[in-house]
């Protein structure tokens, strides 16, 4: 099982609804490791690059408007098979079709307000992590002493 890193965004609707902690908590409980975290406003240029694959879709203008409408929580999560694990934990894109027990299935209503983003494959994860984080902003736990048990 390959150790992967993936980009997760709590989108503006999730931050506004006070669900950032809920999303973080679910990913922590899943067993993934948080290696990067920031609260930020996405500008139009970043939004267009992030969602470049959807540029010709009818919902693209609304998607860019939405993701830039308020702050997002951008995170990098690490773990074995992290990309697929995050996607499973988020649930299907349309909350009407996502299973109960998933973030979107439990907390979402509208496909245009589906709370979270997670990279969909390794190439996307690499590309998206580079858009949102500088390398130095991502923690390398192997270079630190064990943060959980080391006493000061
Ligand atoms: P996902 O976010 O599950 O990776 P995606 O990459 O296909 O889904 O689409 C990106 C976002 O665009 C998605 O989270 C919500 C929005 N979106 C997708 N399909 C849509 C549609 N048919 N109508 C409105 N918004 C849509
Ligand atoms: Mg996607």
């Amino acid at each position: 099982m390959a150790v992967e890193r993936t980009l997760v965004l709590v989108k503006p609707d999730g931050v506004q609804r006070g669900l950032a902690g809920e999303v973080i908590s679910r990913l922590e409980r899943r067993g993934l490791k948080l290696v990067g975290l920031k609260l930020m406003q996405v500008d139009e240029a970043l939004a267009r690059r992030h969602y470049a694959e959807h540029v010709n879709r009818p919902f693209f203008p609304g998607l860019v408007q939405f993701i830039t409408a308020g702050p997002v929580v951008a995170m990098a999560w690490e773990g074995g098979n992290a990309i697929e694990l995050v996607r499973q934990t988020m649930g299907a894109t349309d909350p009407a079709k996502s299973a109960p027990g998933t973030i979107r299935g439990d907390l979402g209503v509208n496909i245009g307000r589906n709370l979270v983003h997670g990279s969909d494959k390794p190439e996307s994860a690499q590309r998206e992590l580079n858009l949102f984080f500088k390398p130095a902003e991502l923690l390398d736990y192997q270079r630190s002493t064990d943060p959980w048990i080391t006493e000061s």
Side-chain angles (χ1 to χ4, degrees):
M1 186 169 60
V3 174
E4 296 173 335
R5 288 182 166 189
T6 186
L7 178 78
V8 175
L9 302 177
V10 182
K11 298 185 189 180
D13 56 333
V15 174
Q16 189 171 37
R17 289 175 59 195
L19 294 172
E22 171 83 24
V23 172
I24 292 170
S25 181
R26 286 177 181 233
L27 295 173
E28 286 178 327
R29 275 147 53 203
R30 190 79 208 246
L32 294 166
K33 193 180 284 183
L34 186 60
V35 295
L37 173 74
K38 61 170 89 165
L39 178 70
M40 60 182 283
Q41 186 89 30
V42 175
D43 65 19
E44 190 183 328
L46 176 57
R48 294 182 70 88
R49 289 180 73 190
H50 175 63
Y51 281 128
E53 65 174 308
H54 299 304
V55 66
N56 293 320
R57 307 287 287 278
F59 57 82
F60 183 75
L63 186 58
V64 169
Q65 190 174 39
F66 165 59
I67 202 75
T68 59
V72 305
V73 174
M75 298 176 281
W77 288 87
E78 181 184 280
N81 212 13
I83 296 166
E84 185 60 24
L85 280 183
V86 166
R87 296 285 295 185
Q88 293 290 341
T89 304
M90 289 193 325
T93 305
D94 183 352
K97 301 190 180 109
S98 38
T102 64
I103 292 169
R104 288 162 168 172
D106 287 347
L107 307 170
V109 174
N110 184 323
I111 191 169
R113 300 285 183 273
N114 62 4
L115 294 162
V116 278
H117 168 85
S119 310
D120 62 1
K121 54 181 184 288
E123 307 80 65
S124 313
Q126 192 60 56
R127 189 184 75 83
E128 294 171 2
L129 285 168
N130 283 335
L131 286 177
F132 282 84
F133 289 98
K134 299 179 190 127
E137 292 173 328
L138 301 181
L139 214 56
D140 183 351
Y141 283 97
Q142 288 172 346
R143 291 178 53 208
S144 54
T145 53
D146 192 321
W148 316 115
I149 59 170
T150 302
E151 289 177 349
S152 56

